[in-house]
Amino acid sequence: LRCMSNVPENTVYGGPKPQNSEQRVTLSHLRQKHKKSEPITVVTAYDYPSAVHLDTAGIDVCLVGDSAAMVVHGHDTTLPITLEEMLAHCRSVARGAKRPLLVGDLPFGSYESSTNQAVDTATRFLKEGGMDAIKLEGGSPSRITAAKAIVEAGIAVMGHVGLTPQAISVLGGFRPQGKTVESAVKVVKTSLALQEAGCFALVLECVPPPVSAAVTSALGIPTIGIGAGPFCSGQVLVYHDLLGMLQHPHHAKVTPKFCKQYARVGDIINKALMEYREEVGNGSFPGPAHTPYRIAGADEVDGFLEALKEMGLKQAADAASKA
């Protein structure tokens, strides 16, 4: 008797799932692409439907970013999102994206206190969130130590340098990095240190193209650019941004300058919602085509009307008869 499981019998104790590059993107797959100078595609997504779209499109890496704080939850920065909220986003994405490598963003406040905290949080992203790897921001000595400890714990780490949104308190806002000699050299040195710590890839955000070109040349691991020009090993954009999903004037003010909108899905969504509102308002929806259910036959209809009358509900019977 199968009374202890709510999943099909053939999925219980079925052994490990195939992990070859044809069915699932792995670090080995990314290393091969990097070795062949094939660009790596990364998209930031936060839920099941968007993850399914990434899967269908053949995107290499799905990053579950803490930018969900702004894009999904409506905050002005990435700082407010919690670890539990990020894990919920990770689980949703993991259910939808079966092919891409899944990378979860460690949220602010979940890894800075100690290496033990960092390893514990990273472990939860794999065990509870279904991620394949994690990403952490910054290149301070403590962040590099944390990255090294997480790697030594057996968890793949993606680094992130340049504009690091979790550090806006120190940076004084969302400000590009690498615009001076000192700043540019710091980006290169930090990138090398993160590679030495064991990171498998590095996000370069909002740095000038010569800086990203120098980092990409100096490193032996892939660089993933976002607002960093065309000289990186790959590129990453936010799902909602590249699709133009949010067309509200407020969002237009905060949409990154580097983002290319490949569609204006938000306009289509707005148009559809307004049409729905109008059709409900004028009574044209739902029409016969969207009212598919019928009482079994004339005898059943008559029986229903008689039952209503016997209940003293003549007005209801008249309404049912008219319908």
Side-chain angles (χ1 to χ4, degrees):
L1 293 176
R2 292 181 59 252
C3 58
M4 296 298 289
S5 176
N6 62 354
V7 296
E9 186 174 10
N10 61 2
T11 68
V12 180
Y13 308 122
K17 295 179 180 179
Q19 291 291 309
N20 64 67
S21 60
E22 296 299 318
Q23 298 184 19
R24 183 83 182 183
V25 176
T26 64
L27 295 189
S28 295
H29 184 214
L30 294 184
R31 291 189 187 104
Q32 287 299 314
K33 292 198 75 168
H34 181 235
K35 184 177 180 181
K36 297 175 183 177
S37 298
E38 297 176 2
I40 297 167
T41 55
V42 186
V43 175
T44 299
Y46 317 105
D47 59 19
Y48 174 80
S50 56
V52 171
H53 286 153
L54 265 60
D55 199 77
T56 303
I59 299 298
D60 295 317
V61 180
C62 177
L63 172 62
V64 187
D66 63 352
S67 47
M70 302 172 70
V71 179
V72 178
H73 297 277
H75 296 294
D76 291 330
T77 72
T78 64
L79 303 184
I81 197 164
T82 67
L83 174 57
E84 297 302 329
E85 287 172 329
M86 282 301 301
L87 289 173
H89 284 295
C90 288
R91 287 190 289 269
S92 297
V93 166
R95 286 190 285 267
K98 303 303 181 185
R99 180 186 177 277
L101 184 82
L102 303 180
V103 182
D105 231 343
L106 302 192
F108 180 72
S110 70
Y111 63 99
E112 297 89 343
S113 296
S114 66
T115 55
N116 286 339
Q117 184 200 31
V119 172
D120 289 346
T121 299
T123 300
R124 292 189 67 185
F125 267 73
L126 271 63
K127 291 175 69 69
E128 300 175 36
M131 296 291 98
D132 301 311
I134 63 94
K135 181 175 80 65
L136 55 76
E137 289 188 11
S140 65
S142 63
R143 303 294 175 91
I144 293 169
T145 300
K148 189 172 187 292
I150 294 171
V151 171
E152 289 177 350
I155 299 170
V157 176
M158 177 181 282
H160 184 163
V161 300
L163 193 165
T164 48
Q166 291 179 14
I168 60 170
S169 177
V170 175
L171 297 177
F174 294 99
R175 301 187 184 281
Q177 302 297 298
K179 298 177 72 174
T180 66
V181 172
E182 181 182 2
S183 179
V185 169
K186 183 179 179 181
V187 170
V188 176
K189 287 183 176 179
T190 300
S191 301
L192 289 167
L194 285 167
Q195 175 179 255
E196 182 66 23
C199 290
F200 72 88
L202 205 66
V203 171
L204 293 175
E205 181 167 0
C206 295
V207 299
V211 179
S212 63
V215 172
T216 302
S217 176
L219 297 184
I221 58 175
T223 57
I224 308 299
I226 178 165
F231 304 109
C232 297
S233 313
Q235 299 292 328
V236 56
L237 284 177
V238 170
Y239 177 85
H240 295 69
D241 288 343
L242 75 89
L243 292 180
M245 288 187 68
L246 303 177
Q247 298 298 328
H248 190 278
H250 168 72
H251 189 261
K253 293 179 182 178
V254 298
T255 299
K257 295 178 182 178
F258 54 75
C259 180
K260 178 178 179 179
Q261 289 189 344
Y262 288 83
R264 290 181 64 87
V265 175
D267 289 340
I268 298 172
I269 293 172
N270 291 338
K271 182 175 182 292
L273 289 171
M274 286 188 289
E275 288 182 6
Y276 166 70
R277 183 197 66 199
E278 290 171 5
E279 289 194 2
V280 171
N282 63 30
S284 61
F285 177 83
H290 299 99
T291 311
Y293 309 109
R294 300 287 184 270
I295 294 179
D299 291 343
E300 297 296 327
V301 172
D302 292 340
F304 177 49
L305 298 177
E306 287 300 320
L308 289 174
K309 291 174 182 177
E310 290 175 5
M311 295 167 64
L313 299 174
K314 185 178 183 306
Q315 189 174 350
D318 292 341
S321 178
K322 183 179 180 180

